[in-house]
């Protein structure tokens, strides 16, 4: 799936005329997490994290390319314990804008994202039910969103959905007779609400 997405982006970019313009910006905002765990024993609740980083806009004839390197922090609460995930995200979005006035544009975008863990990996025992929690060193996700640009400022909303597990964890399920160890495969999805300033 990863190779197909990147191959599709490469084909689209190579098919464009080479009169591209490049602009630089900085984006930042908040994450509203949706932490998915495939069991009902451990309850995961949502918390807001944040993201910030530089962004490059490559203007082509039929669409734009948005490439960004983002410092991304996602905090979540699992069974009363706070868990923090810190990533360096590499994004490559295809975007299309439509002018609504002389200085305002609405736009949509979509594209893949690689996240590289730059924080703590092994969290040890984080709840009464979970032990040996470990974030993956890297994971793959997909962005889909849109927004409004007025002059040099963009307001944007994005949904980032993980393809596959974001972490590995072992859960202990106890009953009256025995304790059973169960392998969890958590995924960290997020709504992202933010702004971009384009220089």
């Amino acid at each position: 799936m990863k190779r197909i997405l990147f191959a599709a982006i490469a084909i689209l970019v190579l098919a464009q005329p080479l009169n591209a313009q490049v602009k630089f910006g900085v984006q930042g905002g908040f994450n509203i997490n949706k932490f998915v765990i495939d069991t009902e024993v451990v309850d995961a609740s949502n918390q807001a994290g944040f993201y910030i980083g530089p962004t490059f806009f490559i203007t082509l004839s039929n669409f734009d390319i948005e490439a960004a390197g983002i410092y991304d922090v996602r905090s979540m609460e699992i069974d009363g314990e706070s868990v923090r995930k810190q990533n360096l995200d590499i994004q490559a979005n295809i975007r299309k804008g439509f002018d609504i006035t002389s200085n305002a544009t609405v736009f949509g975008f979509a594209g893949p994202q690689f996240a590289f863990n730059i924080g703590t990996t092994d969290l040890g025992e984080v709840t009464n039910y979970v032990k040996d929690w470990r974030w993956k060193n890297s994971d793959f996700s997909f962005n889909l969103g849109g927004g409004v640009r007025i002059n040099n400022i963009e307001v944007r909303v994005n949904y980032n959905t993980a393809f596959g597990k974001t972490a590995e964890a072992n859960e202990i399920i106890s009953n009256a007779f025995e304790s059973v160890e169960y392998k969890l495969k958590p995924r960290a999805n997020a709504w992202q609400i933010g702004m971009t300033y384009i220089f």
Side-chain angles (χ1 to χ4, degrees):
M1 185 65 179
K2 301 176 190 178
R3 293 179 181 177
I4 293 173
L5 284 171
F6 280 111
I9 290 175
I11 291 170
L12 287 170
V13 172
L14 292 173
Q16 300 300 304
L18 297 178
N19 56 347
Q21 296 180 353
V22 179
K23 292 184 178 181
F24 172 74
V26 175
Q27 64 170 294
F30 296 97
N31 293 317
I32 304 173
N33 302 315
K34 182 182 179 184
F35 198 57
V36 181
I37 302 179
D38 54 355
T39 179
E40 295 181 357
V41 175
V42 178
D43 176 49
S45 59
N46 294 335
Q47 291 186 11
F50 68 91
Y51 66 94
I52 188 169
T55 306
F56 292 90
F57 300 92
I58 305 171
T59 302
L60 302 174
S61 59
N62 296 321
F63 57 85
D64 299 336
I65 299 292
E66 179 185 286
I70 303 296
Y71 174 63
D72 188 331
V73 176
R74 302 187 187 188
S75 299
M76 56 213 73
E77 191 171 290
I78 304 173
D79 194 43
E81 298 279 349
S82 181
V83 175
R84 195 173 193 226
K85 187 175 191 292
Q86 300 177 74
N87 288 337
L88 172 62
D89 298 340
I90 306 299
Q91 302 175 356
N93 296 317
I94 291 177
R95 53 184 277 162
K96 180 71 175 179
F98 301 93
D99 293 337
I100 52 178
T101 67
S102 59
N103 62 348
T105 303
V106 294
F107 61 90
F109 61 88
Q113 172 176 299
F114 273 108
F116 300 93
N117 189 346
I118 58 174
T120 301
T121 302
D122 189 356
L123 301 181
E125 186 174 349
V126 294
T127 74
N128 294 327
Y129 303 106
V130 177
K131 67 175 186 176
D132 299 331
W133 185 286
R134 186 175 178 84
W135 295 115
K136 290 184 65 180
N137 290 326
S138 65
D139 59 79
F140 182 68
S141 59
F142 192 82
N143 293 311
L144 181 64
V148 177
R149 175 178 173 178
I150 300 176
N151 294 324
N152 292 345
I153 297 176
E154 291 184 352
V155 178
R156 51 196 286 148
V157 178
N158 173 48
Y159 187 70
N160 175 248
T161 180
F163 287 172
K165 61 189 177 183
T166 309
E168 292 181 349
N170 293 327
E171 176 186 12
I172 302 299
I173 302 176
S174 300
N175 55 35
F177 303 101
E178 62 179 349
S179 294
V180 178
E181 189 169 305
Y182 178 67
K183 185 70 114 179
L184 299 176
K185 297 179 179 179
R187 291 183 297 116
N189 300 335
W191 282 100
Q192 298 179 312
I193 302 172
M195 297 180 65
T196 304
Y197 182 83
I198 303 170
F199 296 96

